[in-house]
Every structure is written in structure tokens, then in C-alpha cells.
Amino acid sequence: MAQTVSDKHTRYAFHASQLNEAKDTIRRTRRYFFPADQLPPEGEDGDWNKWLVTVTVEQCSLYATVNKLKSDPAADPAKLTTMETAMNKYVVDYNAAVAAYPQQMAEMQTLESTNDKFLAPESKLNEYLHVLDEETCSYLCAGTSNSPTQQSPSAPCPCQFFGEKTIELTGSQTDAVRVWNSNSHLKSLTVIDNRTYTEAHRDAIQLIPPKMTDKTRKIKMLKDGFEQEQDWILCDQMSAAILENVTVEACTVKAPGGPLQGIFSSDGLFSSLKILNNTIQTAGEHAITINGFLSGEISGNTLQAVAGKTPSIRLYPTRIGGNQAEEGVAWILSFANEGGSNPVLQYGKPVLGNNPLVGVAGKTQAELIDARSDMPENYRWNSFGLENFRYYAFRDEFSTLTFGQYRTLDGGKYYIQLKAWLEDRIAEYTNGIRKMKGYLPDIADILKDERHTQVLPTLQKALTNAVNSSNYDHVSISNFPETPIKVFVAKQIALRHGTLKKLVALNGMVRNDLPNLTAQDMENRRQATLKYLLDATQLANTTPNPLSDPTLQSGTQGETGGTTGSAATPTAPEPVKATGAYGTGLKDDLMATATSVAQDEEITFFFKDGSTYNSGYTFFWRVANIDSSVVAFGSSPRYTINTSKLDVKADHRIQVVLRQGDVTLSGGALFGVTAKAAAASPEQSTPTPTETAPTTLTKNYGALKILAQPLTVQQSDSITFSADASTHSNAGDKLAWFWSANGKTASTATLTLDTTGLAVGEYNVKATLYVTPAGTTQRTAIAGSAMFTVTVKAAAPEPQASPAPVLPKPLTASGDLKAYIRVSETSVPQGNSITFSIDPNYLAEQQQGAKLTYYWTAPTNSGNPAGQVATYTIKTDTLVPGNNHVVKVTLYKQLDGSTTRTSIGGVATFGVTAAAPTTGTINVVVMDIDTQQPIAGEQYTLILDADPAKKSYPGTTEADGSILVKNIPLGSYTLIFTNPAFLSAEIVL
């Protein structure tokens, strides 16, 4: 199917692709029109002007042959027609390419000369005006032989949008510039928006991480009815892809009449981001707002106040999956150190220079509001937060788990949640009537609501094409074509790789947009929104909010079974007046949950019930040391401090600033942090000298703490995992377990894992304890995960161990790894297993300063899944005998401190012989030892000796004295007779 400009993100990309297509056509067909001695060497183009000439049929090398066939009465008409058709097509294609080449080149040069290289196609101008996308940037970096902007194709190639260019948003246009490519640089652009409107989500400069891909792996997907090959996607902006090395410099944004967002990002992570020397004047809330800021600099930016609003620089945590159909928002609040060679992710402190503030009395510097450790306050009712998030483990599962595997994951629990969410929202968006009546409001005028007109069709398509069909069961979640399913499952997988932060009761939540809703209304809305991702226990397990609210009633929360009020949460501590409070007016109303707390405990500050400061103000809280260096920020009518990182001392200071229009008030108080009490040692029996007591693993995540015996395990040894259920259950409760570690699962109280074949490094173990209290049917799940370490196998004591046997090479091998592929046997009987590996000496060399990963694939008709292990075992049950069975391997290498992987591969063959028989026939004759005559009618029993159950085959001898027993397992049998006068016999089959 021919592409149109609307198929591309920019006009430049379209013309560049058409130019490349013309060049490919000329390369492919010029051999038919030019003598061999005039053609350039293989892989070279030579002077393009030489090929840009029109050709005729007479010049085609097939012309003479076609004429000869025409004059030969015996010529095959079909052959003549085929050759003549091909000849004419070569002429037409070549001349079309010659005509297209200068046209496309001229279009590209025009776009470059007007600095419109990133200009959107006409059909997309209402969506965005300019975009720095990967395809356009790659064309600009690669250059063309006649292009004035040709650059060296060295990587990474900077993509630059420079110049004194003014971009004006008009009509219904949304975004001015999108940056959708790492290593990009914006400079000296001006964005003007003189419109007056109230809709949010319009951006002057929007930052969007591109898809992160594995270019060594490919996947075939249907697009426009055709199967197309594409790079394997690891993650995208909705699943925490990372945008790196982007600079926005010396740009100007002017939007005095509408809430245009200045420099903004909503999804993904941002590393080495520089926002420098920009001038921003907008009536919107977000002058500079970045969700997921990891590292970089924010300096020299001038923020200008509009209509009494004070602009600021805001940093929030990233989120997973958005919130397409009211399924809730997942925020990543902190990252775990996962070990290995992957860089440690963390929300680093930005390099913060001078950022002037203009138009606000008494203020000269723009404030940095760093709220990355908690979710935005106005999202609490439909959100949950994850701490100690294992980003790389999440990305690995997200990019390898197929939808078919997902259907049965954890007994199908996740798939059931997905299907219920899809079916419920489809019904609600069809008729506007909510499933949980009174929890979420019905949708008025449903036929005009965008949830009906825009979201509903995507949900219906996802249900039909994926849930009710197996079409995509082979596709990984990261490559999944149905977006609603992709983003919903992303949140489920995220929950598997992070620690859920306790939900906070909603009686203190800011509800400026919903002023008539009570706290109970908001709790109901949270229940109905998050019930598809969180279970009833997680929804009910909330942290009390110290703000009193008479509308927060106790009682049952409908279908979810959760409760609020005293039934759901412990009694909130009695508030006290804040110690050392200061600030005119504020000091008399400032309250706290305590005057001092032990390290690791939380303390909350707020204004007393009935205070005039509880409404109409914007709050800015922060914890500061006596020297005023900032420890943390927040923005809500209350502020809860986790003291785990604060020093033990009595004079920590909380500061608060209240703003209402041009009015600014400030104050604060003191609070103490005392030493954490030593944990009481539980009584436990002393282990005997011959055993080691299980020890809690150091890196534990989740409510269920996992123990191991031993704490670290040497390669090829076994490790046993367990967990203490006593803290989560009572006597008489029914308990059930589910364990998972390195592909092995168990439904017992412990899991023992054999580490044979595991490389040295850290691995993940997961456990879920299901508790059904005595006398009830309500089951609660308590989950946890931990990291355990596999170390190098220690040298065996004397006598010295014999060297490991050298494994044979496969029957045949090819590729870069052909000399290093090893196999347990070159050929095995059908039904036996065969194991492949890579020469350990070669691996030892490659592992120096690097991390190695593997990807094995078996013959497609063998039924074996792909493997990502050092040794790969294949079952041969379904393979026919022969020596042409193929296994493939790709070895990925990532140097320490690098984010780039290289790969080499190999292909090997192995043999399968006919399976050895497993059954046979016993045919003997019972004879009188004296007369040598057959004995008929005697009862006997044939017993298989190796069978612990002593399986038997009883019978009676035939008239000719024979015993015939067919299709019985091979082995040693004992033949005994009912008549004690007969001797028993041993028969080996």
C-alpha cells in the first residue's frame, strides 16, 4: 500500500521516505539499462546524477530477448508475456523514480530552508504543529547525498530545532512542539497563544519518551491488512520509557489568555534533561512541570505571573498506563536498587540555578515544588502509589510476557480483573448507567460524552480482537496492538514489581473541582475505580487522615467488601497544638498528630477544625533543617512526614506558606525525632548444630517477608524459601500458598530451588499467602517478593574434583557462536531431553565487566517455549526422527554502566532417533518339569518388581500351557502361581 504524507509524523519524513524509495528503485533496476562495467561496486551508489536519466524500452537488456521470442513461432506465449510485462514495468518504475528523486529532494530542501523540518502534515496540525520524532531525526542525521544538511551517521546523533522561529497556536490546535526523540535540542523558539479558553492539556513544549526497542529482535504485526516486521518494543511512554539528553534552551512561551502548559511532560522518565534560560508567561497552572524527572538542570528560566497566579517549577512522580477508562492511576514513588549492571534509577535532585520570578510582590525567585515522593493530592481518590519499584524487572516481564501466558498468570487472577473491567466499562459507556450504583455518578447525556464517542469503540475492539479471540495470544504485552489492554496490564505488572503504599483516607482531600462531594462520596469513588486493580484488603487498609470530617461515615463499601471509618482503620491519634508554632495568625491554628515521634514513624501537620485557613488557600509545606536547606516538598492542606531519613533531634522545623490571590502568609513549627526503639527479639528455638535457621532476605518487598536457608546459595546448590504466616493469620485459619522463583512454582509452605544452570547474580522470588479466617469464606492475599544471590561455587575440598567433562559440539553449527555452542548429546531418542549451552571458557571471557543474557528458541513444532537461561533444555516428544532439527541462540552483552546491548548469534542442529520401546510382550509356556508336557488351567500372577505398588497381571494358563501378556512396561517380573507346588520364576522383559 502506497504511503501518504498522513502516514508520517512530519512532512519531511514523508518526502525523505519517498526519496529513499526512489533511490531503492533505481538501485534495483539500473542493471537492466546500464552495462555491467558502468555499474558501481556492490553496496556503493557512485554519482547519483549519472543515474537520473530517463530510459527507453530499447535500452533494456531484455529488449533483444523479447524481440527474438516474438519472431520465433515456437516460443512459449506465456514466457513471452511474462518477460515483456517485466521489461515494461522496469522502464516505468525506473523513469518514475528518476522523476521523483529531484521532486522529493526539492521538497526537503524547501522545508530545511524555512526551518520546517519538523512540521506536521496538514491532517495532524490540530494535534501538534512540530514534532522531533525518531524517524525524522534519523533522516536528518543520515542525510542524503545531495542534501545541504548531511551529517555523519555517528550515534547518538543530536537532533536540533534551532532558530528565531515564531510558532503561533490558533483555532483548535493543541500542542506547538513535541519532543519525541532522545538527544534533542530546542533553542530560540517562540510559542505564542493569544486565544482565550479554559480547556487544559494544551502544551507549548511537550516532552514524550519514544518507544524503547530491542533492534536485535523482531515481531511481525498486522497493519492495514498487511503483515509488517518491526523492532521488538520493550516499553513506551505509558510504561515508563526514558527520554535522555534533551535540552530546551532560550525559548519563549506567551499565553496570557489561556491555560497553555509551558514546558510539560505527563508520562515516562527523563534523564539528563536540561531546561535553561527560557521565558514563560502563561495563564495555566504549569509553567514548567515534569512528571518523572530523574536527573538534569533547571536554571535561568524566567517565569512571569499572569492574572494574579504565581507560576512555579513542579516535579511529580511518573505514572504507569495513564487512566484511559477510569481504571485508576499508578504512580511510581521510588525505585529499588536491583543490582546487576543496570544503572540505578532514582529521582535525583535537579541542578537548580537562578530562576527569576516576575510580577509577584515580594518574590524574586520561582519556587521549586518537588513532590516526587507522593502522588498529587487531587489524584488520591483514583490513584495508588508504588515504592521500591523494580523498574528493570517490570520492563523484562512487560516485554516478554505474552497475552496467552497472561491469561493463566497466578491462576488467571489478572485476566479475570481485566475482563471484568472491560465488560463493566463497555456497559457503562453504552448506556451511562454505573454498575456500582451510587459510587461513581451515572453519565448524563451519554451519546455526546467522549467516553461513549471515543473510548467505547476502543474498548469494544479490544474485547473482540483480544479477549474473545486468540489472535494475539502469541504477542508480548509490550507489543500489544490493543491499547486499553496494554495500559491496564502494565499497571497490573507494575503492582507485581513494587510495594503498594498505604492509601490515605480522603477526608482531608482537596476537592476544589467537586465542592459538593463529601469524604464518603470520594471514598466510594475510589472503591469503584480501583477495585479492578486492588483487592478489598488493599482498598480497606488505609492510613487515617488526622483532619476531622463528620461526613466520613463508617460502614460497608458495597461490592468491594471494604469499609471506612473505625471498621476499616485504627483510631487516629488525638491532635495536639504544634510545638513552637510561629507566624501571625497561623500559629494559633497549626496542629499536629504529635509533638515528637520515633524515627521511621510519621507525623502530620494541619490546621484545626473550623480554621479559616482550611479553605480558599493554596498550601506549600516543606521540611527544613535549621539552616533552611530543603529536605522535602508537598502541596496539600495537610502534610505527612516520613521521618525515616531525618536525624534524631528535637528541633526539626516544618514550614508552611498559604497563598490566596495576592495574599501570602507564612509560618511553621518545631517537632522532634527520637531514636527508634530496638525491635524485641522473638523467642525461638536454638537450631541444632546440623541445621541453619532460615534468615530473612535483605532485599524484601511487600507485606509478606521471605526467609531463605541458606541466605546466599552457591551455584548448583539448593535454596529453600519460607515465610512466617503467624503475623498474618490466627489459629484455625485456612492457609494456602503460591511460590514462584526462576520459572519454578509451588503451592506448599516452602519452595526449594535447585540453582543448577543459574549464572552468578541476583534473582527474584515471589510468594503469596492466602488466608481464609476460620468460619468465613472471605480470602485475603498477602504478597511479598525478595532478591536472593547465587554465588560462584566454592572449590571442593581435597580430593580435588575431576575437571568438568567437555561437552560435544552439535551436529552442525553456523553464525558467530558456531565454535562455542555445546550440547549434552548430538542425538537423542525421541522423548528424551537434550540440553544446549555455550562454552563456559568463552562465557567467562565475555562476562568480564559485562552482563550477559540469553535468548534460545527451539524447533517450532517441538512445543518448547523460548528460553532466557544459560543452559536450554528441549523436550523431543513431538519431534520426528532425523538430523535436521534446529535450535537458535542469541547472546546479549551489556557493559557495566552502559545502557546499550550488543548481540551475536548462532544456529545448531541436533538429531532425534526413533524412541526406544517402553513396552513389550511376555510369551512363555508352563510345563511339567518331569513329563515336559504343557500345564493348562493354572492360575498365576505376574508382578513388576520395580513398581513400588507391585502392579500385577493375573491370569490362567491356556490349553497349550502358554502365558501371553502384551503391552506391559519393560522391566524385571516375578511369576508366581496360586498352586504352592509350582515354582516361581524371574522374567526380564
Side-chain angles (χ1 to χ4, degrees):
M1 179 180 290
Q3 287 191 329
T4 68
V5 66
S6 295
D7 295 321
K8 299 294 184 180
H9 295 296
T10 67
R11 304 179 194 196
Y12 190 93
F14 171 72
H15 294 301
S17 68
Q18 295 298 296
L19 178 66
N20 278 359
E21 187 175 318
K23 293 171 72 172
D24 288 343
T25 300
I26 293 172
R27 289 190 188 102
R28 188 179 69 253
T29 57
R30 63 189 173 191
R31 63 190 179 92
Y32 295 103
F33 304 102
F34 296 92
D37 59 353
Q38 294 183 20
L39 296 175
E42 185 70 26
E44 296 183 15
D45 287 326
D47 180 11
W48 271 104
N49 292 320
K50 182 177 181 179
W51 316 115
L52 300 181
V53 293
T54 56
V55 297
T56 65
V57 171
E58 289 78 12
Q59 291 177 261
C60 184
S61 60
L62 300 179
Y63 181 74
T65 305
V66 169
N67 277 346
K68 184 178 179 180
L69 289 173
K70 284 182 177 180
S71 61
D72 183 359
D76 183 354
K79 180 179 179 181
L80 173 61
T81 300
T82 300
M83 186 171 289
E84 189 171 22
T85 301
M87 177 182 67
N88 291 329
K89 186 175 187 305
Y90 293 149
V91 173
V92 171
D93 287 353
Y94 192 93
N95 287 336
V98 167
Y101 188 102
Q103 293 171 0
Q104 302 304 331
M105 181 67 71
E107 293 284 358
M108 293 167 62
Q109 290 174 342
T110 298
L111 290 169
E112 291 178 6
S113 66
T114 58
N115 202 6
D116 285 323
K117 301 184 295 291
F118 305 105
L119 184 63
E122 187 73 31
S123 61
K124 297 182 179 179
L125 288 177
N126 277 348
E127 185 180 350
Y128 58 88
L129 298 184
H130 299 265
V131 60
L132 283 69
D133 66 302
E134 286 188 301
E135 183 180 20
T136 305
C137 290
S138 67
Y139 282 131
L140 288 166
C141 285
T144 58
S145 61
N146 292 343
S147 170
T149 60
Q150 183 178 2
Q151 301 178 31
S152 169
S154 59
C157 171
C159 194
Q160 299 174 341
F161 191 8
F162 287 5
E164 301 294 335
K165 187 171 186 65
T166 298
I167 304 168
E168 184 170 5
L169 288 163
T170 60
S172 58
Q173 293 169 348
T174 302
D175 295 342
V177 181
R178 290 180 176 177
V179 179
W180 201 8
N181 178 73
S182 291
N183 306 303
S184 296
H185 193 167
L186 303 185
K187 187 174 181 180
S188 301
L189 304 177
T190 298
V191 177
I192 296 176
D193 185 359
N194 288 320
R195 299 170 296 179
T196 300
Y197 55 91
T198 58
E199 299 89 348
H201 308 298
R202 299 181 177 187
D203 304 319
I205 299 171
Q206 184 183 24
L207 308 179
I208 306 172
K211 296 172 182 175
M212 300 177 73
T213 60
D214 181 353
K215 295 185 182 300
T216 65
R217 300 175 64 190
K218 305 294 180 182
I219 185 171
K220 291 183 177 180
M221 301 293 293
L222 282 177
K223 184 176 181 182
D224 299 326
F226 294 89
E227 193 175 65
Q228 297 183 14
E229 187 176 74
Q230 65 183 41
D231 293 338
W232 193 279
I233 298 172
L234 300 176
C235 58
D236 57 19
Q237 69 181 90
M238 304 305 289
S239 46
I242 303 175
L243 183 72
E244 299 180 285
N245 301 319
V246 167
T247 299
V248 182
E249 181 182 7
C251 294
T252 300
V253 177
K254 295 181 180 180
L260 185 70
Q261 298 174 152
I263 301 173
F264 183 80
S265 74
S266 59
D267 299 288
L269 294 165
F270 301 87
S271 174
S272 300
L273 173 63
K274 294 182 179 180
I275 302 175
L276 310 173
N277 305 319
N278 301 284
T279 300
I280 301 176
Q281 178 188 30
T282 174
E285 293 293 328
H286 302 287
I288 299 175
T289 295
I290 305 297
N291 287 11
F293 182 97
L294 295 175
S295 63
E297 180 179 359
I298 306 174
S299 297
N301 303 285
T302 300
L303 307 189
Q304 299 180 358
V306 175
K309 293 183 179 179
T310 303
S312 58
I313 301 167
R314 304 177 185 221
L315 304 181
Y316 294 112
T318 194
R319 60 183 187 174
I320 298 284
N323 188 30
Q324 187 178 39
E326 299 176 285
E327 70 274 19
V329 183
W331 299 91
I332 306 305
L333 307 182
S334 62
F335 298 91
N337 184 347
E338 298 174 67
S341 60
N342 288 315
V344 177
L345 294 186
Q346 62 179 345
Y347 291 135
K349 185 177 180 181
V351 176
L352 194 64
N354 179 42
N355 291 288
L357 180 63
V358 177
V360 179
K363 297 288 183 181
T364 60
Q365 285 293 307
E367 185 172 14
L368 171 68
I369 301 172
D370 188 348
R372 290 174 291 173
S373 62
D374 202 357
M375 67 189 74
E377 187 66 27
N378 59 328
Y379 280 90
R380 284 199 189 279
W381 73 271
N382 68 352
S383 297
F384 59 88
L386 296 174
E387 298 176 311
N388 297 315
F389 185 62
R390 296 179 296 283
Y391 174 81
Y392 299 105
F394 160 79
R395 194 175 72 183
D396 286 347
E397 184 169 21
F398 183 68
S399 61
T400 57
L401 180 72
T402 67
F403 192 65
Q405 294 168 332
Y406 166 80
R407 289 182 189 269
T408 59
L409 187 65
D410 279 7
K413 176 184 76 172
Y414 298 104
Y415 175 71
I416 291 170
Q417 292 173 330
L418 167 71
K419 194 167 186 289
W421 168 71
L422 271 176
E423 291 175 343
D424 285 356
R425 290 294 183 257
I426 287 173
E428 292 173 350
Y429 294 175
T430 299
N431 57 33
I433 307 301
R434 294 294 190 176
K435 288 288 185 177
M436 291 181 67
K437 198 69 177 174
Y439 280 67
L440 284 172
D442 291 342
I443 306 172
D445 204 1
I446 181 63
L447 297 181
K448 294 182 180 179
D449 193 284
E450 68 175 16
R451 285 169 287 189
H452 178 85
T453 59
Q454 298 179 30
V455 181
L456 176 61
T458 67
L459 300 181
Q460 292 171 324
K461 180 169 172 282
L463 185 68
T464 301
N465 292 351
V467 173
N468 295 337
S469 166
S470 60
N471 289 342
Y472 298 132
D473 278 8
H474 67 290
V475 179
S476 75
I477 303 303
S478 62
N479 289 284
F480 211 71
E482 301 297 342
T483 300
I485 291 177
K486 183 178 180 178
V487 298
F488 185 90
V489 176
K491 295 172 194 176
Q492 292 179 312
I493 296 176
L495 278 162
R496 291 164 56 83
H497 295 285
T499 302
L500 180 68
K501 185 175 182 178
K502 265 190 179 184
L503 303 179
V504 175
L506 297 176
N507 52 307
M509 179 187 160
V510 175
R511 299 192 297 274
N512 296 332
D513 55 335
L514 302 168
N516 297 323
L517 292 183
T518 66
Q520 186 67 68
D521 293 332
M522 300 307 293
E523 291 283 6
N524 289 348
R525 288 193 173 199
R526 176 158 66 184
Q527 296 277 339
T529 301
L530 298 183
K531 74 168 194 169
Y532 302 97
L533 291 168
L534 305 183
D535 59 34
T537 302
Q538 292 169 321
L539 286 168
N541 187 20
T542 60
T543 297
N545 193 310
L547 292 178
S548 59
D549 190 332
T551 67
L552 188 60
Q553 307 294 325
S554 62
T556 303
Q557 292 292 301
E559 295 179 15
T560 62
T563 61
T564 56
S566 60
T569 58
T571 303
E574 188 70 19
V576 297
K577 187 172 180 179
T579 301
Y582 63 93
T584 304
L586 302 186
K587 64 181 181 180
D588 296 325
D589 290 2
L590 192 56
M591 306 291 288
T593 52
T595 58
S596 182
V597 293
Q599 216 172 18
D600 283 354
E601 292 183 355
E602 293 183 342
I603 183 172
T604 300
F605 289 87
F606 54 95
F607 289 96
K608 68 181 182 182
D609 193 27
S611 172
T612 57
Y613 304 119
N614 277 329
S615 61
Y617 287 89
T618 301
F619 299 79
F620 298 91
W621 301 85
R622 69 178 182 179
V623 177
N625 294 326
I626 299 304
D627 62 2
S628 296
S629 62
V630 174
V631 175
F633 281 97
S635 59
S636 69
R638 60 179 171 73
Y639 191 52
T640 298
I641 304 161
N642 185 316
T643 63
S644 59
K645 296 182 180 180
L646 296 184
D647 296 333
V648 173
K649 65 177 186 177
D651 56 354
H652 284 289
R653 184 152 51 99
I654 179 77
Q655 298 173 330
V656 60
V657 177
L658 281 68
R659 292 182 181 149
Q660 188 179 62
D662 293 329
V663 177
T664 300
L665 303 172
S666 63
L670 301 176
F671 66 98
V673 176
T674 60
K676 180 170 56 176
S681 300
E683 292 186 11
Q684 50 183 332
S685 59
T686 303
T688 64
T690 58
E691 65 179 21
T692 304
T695 308
T696 303
L697 287 164
T698 305
K699 296 182 179 179
N700 245 293
Y701 315 101
L704 189 65
K705 299 306 177 187
I706 297 178
L707 296 80
Q709 181 184 3
L711 188 59
T712 59
V713 61
Q714 295 182 5
Q715 285 174 308
S716 302
D717 289 348
S718 294
I719 183 171
T720 298
F721 302 103
S722 59
D724 185 5
S726 63
T727 58
H728 304 286
S729 60
N730 298 309
D733 291 352
K734 181 180 178 181
L735 307 181
W737 295 86
F738 183 80
W739 291 88
S740 173
N742 201 52
K744 182 175 182 179
T745 60
S747 299
T748 53
T750 62
L751 168 67
T752 298
L753 178 69
D754 182 355
T755 65
T756 301
L758 294 186
V760 172
E762 281 194 321
Y763 294 86
N764 183 250
V765 57
K766 303 174 185 176
T768 303
L769 169 64
Y770 298 96
V771 179
T772 305
T776 72
T777 59
Q778 180 70 38
R779 189 169 77 161
T780 300
I782 303 96
S785 67
M787 305 299 291
F788 66 95
T789 302
V790 177
T791 60
V792 176
K793 182 73 173 179
E798 295 293 339
Q800 251 185 347
S802 301
V806 177
L807 294 174
K809 295 182 179 181
L811 292 176
T812 65
S814 60
D816 294 332
L817 287 173
K818 66 180 181 181
Y820 307 110
I821 300 177
R822 299 291 182 264
V823 64
S824 55
E825 301 174 74
T826 57
S827 186
V828 294
Q830 188 182 41
N832 287 14
S833 295
I834 185 169
T835 298
F836 285 84
S837 59
I838 298 176
D839 185 281
N841 295 325
Y842 175 75
L843 290 180
E845 294 176 6
Q846 298 301 311
Q847 281 178 326
Q848 297 297 319
K851 177 184 178 182
L852 302 181
T853 53
Y854 313 82
Y855 189 80
W856 299 85
T857 57
T860 54
N861 60 340
S862 69
N864 290 279
Q868 294 179 300
V869 291
T871 58
Y872 183 52
T873 300
I874 299 171
K875 295 180 179 179
T876 64
D877 305 62
T878 61
L879 297 179
V880 297
N883 290 329
N884 58 347
H885 298 290
V886 175
V887 66
K888 300 178 182 179
V889 60
T890 303
L891 178 65
Y892 297 95
K893 181 176 180 179
Q894 184 172 344
L895 297 177
D896 294 346
S898 172
T899 59
T900 302
R901 292 195 305 177
T902 58
S903 66
I904 57 174
V907 178
T909 61
F910 64 96
V912 175
T913 60
T918 58
T919 62
T921 298
I922 289 180
N923 188 1
V924 297
V925 176
V926 180
M927 303 179 67
D928 186 297
I929 195 171
D930 296 322
T931 66
Q932 294 296 299
Q933 294 298 310
I935 299 176
E938 287 295 335
Q939 294 180 339
Y940 68 85
T941 301
L942 194 64
I943 300 173
L944 177 60
D945 297 334
D947 185 1
K950 299 299 181 185
K951 186 172 183 179
S952 60
Y953 302 88
T956 303
T957 58
E958 300 294 332
D960 60 355
S962 66
I963 295 175
L964 180 64
V965 185
K966 300 180 178 179
N967 296 323
I968 59 176
L970 300 180
S972 175
Y973 289 83
T974 299
L975 177 64
I976 60 176
F977 294 89
T978 304
N979 188 337
F982 283 69
L983 299 175
S984 61
E986 297 294 324
I987 302 173
V988 178
L989 183 60

